[in-house]
Amino acid sequence: MRMRPLAGLAAATLAASTLAFAPAATTADKEPPVTAPDVTVPTAGDGRGDVTVIAIVDSSFSPYHLDFRADRMPQHLDADTTNDLPLDTAPHEWIPDFPAPSSFTSYERLDLTLPQAGPISAAYNADLARWNGVKKSDAAQTHFYWAPGTKAVGMVDFNGSGFKLPSGSSHGMGSASVSGGAIHGACPECVVVLIPYGSGSNAESASNWAYSQPWIDVVTNSFGFSLLLRDRYYNGGNAEQSKAASERGQTVFFSAGNGQANTFTVPNATLLSSQEGPDWMITVGAIDPGSHGSYTGHGKPVDIASIGTGYPSAPSSGNSNVNSKGTFGGTSNATPVSAGSYARALYLTRLALKGPSKTQAGGAIATGPAGCGTALATCALDDGVLTAVELREAMFDTVLHTPEGFDPIGLVGGEPALPSTDAETTFMTEGHGSIFGRIDGDEVWLQETGDMAALVLGTREATGRVEGEDEWFEVDSYCRQQLWGTWAGGEWAGEDIPFYTDRPLTEAYYDSCDVLVAARP
């Protein structure tokens, strides 16, 4: 490690990088590819060899909405029956790497009333006896349930009442629908595992259980713990377990937080949280669909960003109908949208590879014939193996910085953000760029996810990074590894880091690392 004297503003850099209202930033924006190549090709069988699984760790869920119905999945709506998933069959019989039922404390089929219309409450009340029999899981025992006729191939309740009909709102309904919902999801082709948590240790147990499952491809977490006022100053997460999951090939997304007191006004730090700070986590901020600038008050720094207001989703209330619509927001929305987009790119890649391609071992997440498309001489799949690090790099290449960059006064849906003047501030607040998902219809979402898959398949060229992006994220990776441990997939690989005197925030970020390590909880 190259050691340098602390710069004069090193002690204040935490404020400079996460708490201050800095000037906005302009970058030479990445140019999006002209077209998104078609990577969806038929495969033999019933789709099980390409199945992609998203786990949503959240407070509560109600799986009755049409977003979670098997018959609303794209595979089941098209004319090709060979890509359908056997969702009426127990998951251990068809999902690759799924453990034996004996590995769980209990393993049960949960037959639910699944109307195509009408109130969720009526369906829930018809199944009340079944829900009353659902047992709470904890660190010592896992009670696993699956619901035929739905895309919920797993339900594990660490809350104790996580599937109880919500009288107010169900935060998990939003995060599950925008990530893997059949109607609103960024990956409608994916199946989901619903994992409600309560608070404290059972929340960590919920995430840790998801990290231990090699058949789960992506885990999205729209929460985070703090000491006071959502500051995200926290060391209760199992960083070693999440690191092991990442090294195996699972990809974990964590929300950056909505600022102090959850007000989107004064930002919270992400670096000092064992849930959001490790280099192997993908930490997600939020942008405003009105101004298209990033919010002043979301957590910083981040890896990427996505929509933070008014995103189309399933409704949060249990009093809604099974076919009704709602909206979701905050970094709680941005995170599952990003996770679902990554998951769909993985699904498209697996689908494009001949034969069964789902795997998760040694960092590999898809396998198939070696070779690249016509656009590239070399690509991630030129050896026939796609790793999680390669796909996340493809995602980072695909996402674009918003034209307005950082919005220093946090305007929401009103006047445009102030002009950007500092590229470094954009990297801090928006990471590599933003995912727009389905906020304005499906065209952008299809191109975003298709382009991620196309890059690893070698059917499109890399967009490339804007000036200063490599330097910022090398320092970001370095600092995260000093705080939470080394990681072979990071942007920093142990080499000396040059002085970046022409990039003051990047330089200050580096100089602050020793201060941050000393401040780590």
Side-chain angles (χ1 to χ4, degrees):
M1 181 196 318
R2 183 181 179 191
M3 302 302 295
R4 303 185 293 183
L6 290 177
L9 52 75
T13 300
L14 181 59
S17 61
T18 61
L19 301 180
F21 294 102
T26 303
T27 68
D29 287 321
K30 306 170 184 176
E31 291 295 330
V34 176
T35 58
D38 181 8
V39 297
T40 306
V41 297
T43 57
D46 60 4
R48 69 183 66 194
D50 302 319
V51 64
T52 302
V53 185
I54 304 173
I56 303 97
V57 183
D58 213 302
S59 56
S60 60
F61 301 92
S62 181
Y64 290 101
H65 192 271
L66 298 186
D67 251 321
F68 308 115
R69 297 298 175 80
D71 59 8
R72 296 303 176 105
M73 295 179 68
Q75 300 98 308
H76 298 195
L77 290 173
D78 64 21
D80 181 8
T81 59
T82 66
N83 62 10
D84 293 358
L85 295 174
L87 292 172
D88 287 335
T89 303
H92 75 279
E93 297 181 15
W94 64 276
I95 297 180
D97 295 324
F98 195 95
S102 59
S103 66
F104 304 109
T105 308
S106 63
Y107 180 84
E108 297 182 29
R109 172 182 175 127
L110 195 66
D111 289 294
L112 301 177
T113 302
L114 299 174
Q116 295 294 319
I120 291 174
S121 58
Y124 176 84
N125 290 331
D127 296 332
L128 188 58
R130 297 182 181 91
W131 289 120
N132 287 340
V134 170
K135 299 176 182 177
K136 179 183 177 181
S137 295
D138 56 32
Q141 56 183 359
T142 303
H143 299 283
F144 188 96
Y145 302 88
W146 61 279
T150 77
K151 58 162 49 194
V153 297
M155 295 185 291
V156 185
D157 187 3
F158 286 86
N159 184 326
S161 58
F163 295 104
K164 182 179 179 180
L165 181 69
S167 56
S169 63
S170 169
H171 191 270
M173 287 285 283
S175 57
S177 68
V178 303
S179 57
I183 299 170
H184 300 103
C187 187
E189 299 91 348
C190 292
V191 295
V192 298
V193 183
L194 306 177
I195 312 175
Y197 71 89
S199 60
S201 61
N202 64 25
E204 293 297 351
S205 295
S207 291
N208 291 342
W209 180 81
Y211 301 155
S212 71
Q213 305 300 308
W215 57 281
I216 295 176
D217 298 295
V218 177
V219 182
T220 179
N221 303 272
S222 287
F223 65 96
F225 295 122
S226 307
L227 292 180
L228 297 168
L229 295 176
R230 302 203 181 202
D231 51 81
R232 297 302 221 269
Y233 190 78
Y234 180 72
N235 193 16
N238 192 332
E240 286 302 312
Q241 185 162 9
S242 62
K243 178 182 177 181
S246 176
E247 291 176 337
R248 189 182 65 237
Q250 190 179 82
T251 301
V252 182
F253 290 75
F254 234 106
S255 60
N258 300 333
Q260 303 289 328
N262 202 36
T263 62
F264 263 130
T265 305
V266 179
N268 57 271
T270 58
L271 296 172
L272 297 178
S273 166
S274 56
Q275 298 172 320
E276 300 142 22
D279 202 17
W280 48 90
M281 296 292 198
I282 296 180
T283 308
V284 187
I287 60 171
D288 168 34
S291 71
H292 285 174
S294 57
Y295 288 106
T296 299
H298 73 71
K300 301 174 180 63
V302 299
D303 293 300
I304 56 174
S306 187
I307 303 299
T309 306
Y311 195 89
S313 70
S316 62
S317 173
N319 297 320
S320 303
N321 286 343
V322 299
N323 58 356
S324 57
K325 299 179 180 180
T327 58
F328 199 45
T331 55
S332 288
N333 178 76
T335 304
V337 169
S338 301
S341 298
Y342 171 95
R344 186 169 193 267
L346 175 56
Y347 170 76
L348 292 176
T349 303
R350 288 173 171 170
L351 193 64
L353 297 172
K354 293 181 180 179
S357 51
K358 178 178 171 62
T359 186
Q360 188 182 120
I365 54 176
T367 59
C372 299
T374 57
L376 296 175
T378 61
C379 67
L381 278 161
D382 56 10
D383 60 353
V385 177
L386 175 66
T387 69
V389 171
E390 289 170 332
L391 185 56
R392 70 188 270 160
E393 287 299 317
M395 178 176 66
F396 294 160
D397 176 87
T398 301
V399 294
L400 306 175
H401 293 113
T402 55
E404 292 81 1
F406 180 41
D407 178 356
I409 54 176
L411 295 173
V412 179
E415 297 298 323
L418 296 184
S420 289
T421 59
D422 181 1
E424 295 175 289
T425 314
T426 291
F427 301 144
M428 178 180 68
T429 61
E430 206 176 334
H432 292 277
S434 292
I435 292 176
F436 284 84
R438 307 178 78 164
I439 185 68
D440 293 321
D442 289 351
E443 183 177 356
V444 171
W445 157 67
L446 291 172
Q447 175 146 350
E448 285 177 333
T449 55
D451 284 344
M452 293 177 203
L455 183 56
V456 298
L457 290 164
T459 57
R460 81 163 175 90
E461 294 183 357
T463 302
R465 295 188 173 186
V466 300
E467 183 179 357
E469 190 173 347
D470 283 331
E471 292 84 351
W472 173 268
F473 283 100
E474 182 182 34
V475 169
D476 180 69
S477 175
Y478 163 81
C479 199
R480 292 177 185 276
Q481 290 188 45
Q482 303 313 299
L483 284 162
W484 301 108
T486 59
W487 178 52
E491 306 256 352
W492 180 70
E495 67 277 359
D496 288 350
I497 294 179
F499 286 87
Y500 295 122
T501 54
D502 59 337
R503 297 185 175 90
L505 188 55
T506 303
E507 183 77 2
Y509 191 177
Y510 177 94
D511 289 337
S512 71
C513 286
D514 288 343
V515 175
L516 293 170
V517 170
R520 197 187 88 169

